[in-house]
Every structure is written in C-alpha cells, then in structure tokens.
Amino acid sequence: MLRSLTNLGDTPTRPHLLAALRRLYALNLALLGLPGLLIGVPLGLFTPAWSSLPALVGLCVAGLLCAVLALALAQQKMKAAIPGTPEGRDLAMSAAIQAASAPAAPLLMACTTLKEPLSLLALLTLTLLSGLVGWLLLGLWAGKAGLEEQRARAVAG
C-alpha cells in the first residue's frame, strides 16, 4: 500500500501524486477512525442517553467546526506549494494527512451518541460529507503540486 509513496520521486506527475495522496488519506483516516470507534462505541453503549436537545445540537455544531477547521488548515497549508518541487509534494502529503482528521472528529462524536438516533444520523452524515470533501480536495492538491505528463518528461529527459 505504501509503495506508491516510496516510489514517488522528487517530481511526481499529477496522476501518481493523486494516487499516493488518496492512499495516504485512506490510511490516516483508518488510523484515526479505528481508535475513535474503539473508544466511542463502548462509551456510547455504556453511558445514559442524553435528553438535552441543546447539548446534542452543541455536539453537532462542535463536530462541524472540527471538520471545517481541519479542512481549512489543510487547504491553507497547500497555498505555499510550488508545482513539481519536492517541497510541494511534501506539503500535499502533509495536507492529506491533516485532512483525514476532518471526518475522524465527527465520527468519534457520533459513536458516543449511539442512543440518540437523530444526532447519530447528523454526525454520521457530517462524517461522510467531510470525508467526501477531503477526498475531492486531494484532486485539487495533486493538480497544484504535481507535474503534467509532458513537463515531467522534459524534466526527466
């Protein structure tokens, strides 16, 4: 799974960089989501149900803020990326790792609200949407940091 990361080189093409970013994103999402599930599910099962609507709304708003902040910080990191440079490649990889935390935060919050179907549904929807936005941003970042095929051949040759 990590072979695409180690064989990327200093000047990766856009398709190769996109494949590597997607693998890195998925790996980090799994690394963040698994402990969240292991902690959140027992917590959600063995704690009493919340009956306070403002607390549940606050939890959903906190999940939204965490996801938006993680994606905004990852996007901010990519502003300094220069296409076709090792620094641009490294910034894209760092941003992919950071973006994986966007769906992980609401997922943990969703696991703790297993006894509240409405907030569970809202937080799982937020988890899926923030994961999709992060996945789509990877394509933009690969386009910004990677080289086009023709330019890569000129640099290599």
Side-chain angles (χ1 to χ4, degrees), residues 93-151:
M93 289 184 170
S94 179
I97 292 169
Q98 192 167 5
S101 65
L107 177 63
L108 174 60
M109 293 177 188
C111 291
T112 62
T113 62
L114 289 175
K115 294 180 181 174
E116 295 295 330
L118 189 58
S119 65
L120 176 65
L121 180 63
L123 286 165
L124 286 178
T125 302
L126 178 60
T127 299
L128 293 173
L129 287 175
S130 59
L132 179 65
V133 169
W135 189 263
L136 295 174
L137 282 174
L138 297 176
L140 295 174
W141 297 339
K144 179 170 172 110
L147 286 177
E148 296 176 19
E149 293 285 340
Q150 298 85 4
R151 194 166 156 216

Side-chain angles (χ1 to χ4, degrees), residues 65-93:
L65 289 175
C66 287
V68 168
L69 183 62
L71 291 171
L73 289 173
Q75 180 65 30
Q76 181 69 27
K77 185 173 288 208
M78 280 305 297
K79 286 187 178 182
I82 299 170
T85 63
E87 293 82 16
R89 176 205 59 207
D90 294 344
L91 283 173
M93 289 184 170

Side-chain angles (χ1 to χ4, degrees), residues 23-46:
R23 285 194 175 110
L24 193 60
Y25 180 80
L27 177 66
N28 283 290
L29 184 57
L31 289 174
L32 290 170
L34 182 62
L37 289 172
L38 293 175
I39 293 168
V41 170
L43 187 64
L45 290 175
F46 297 117

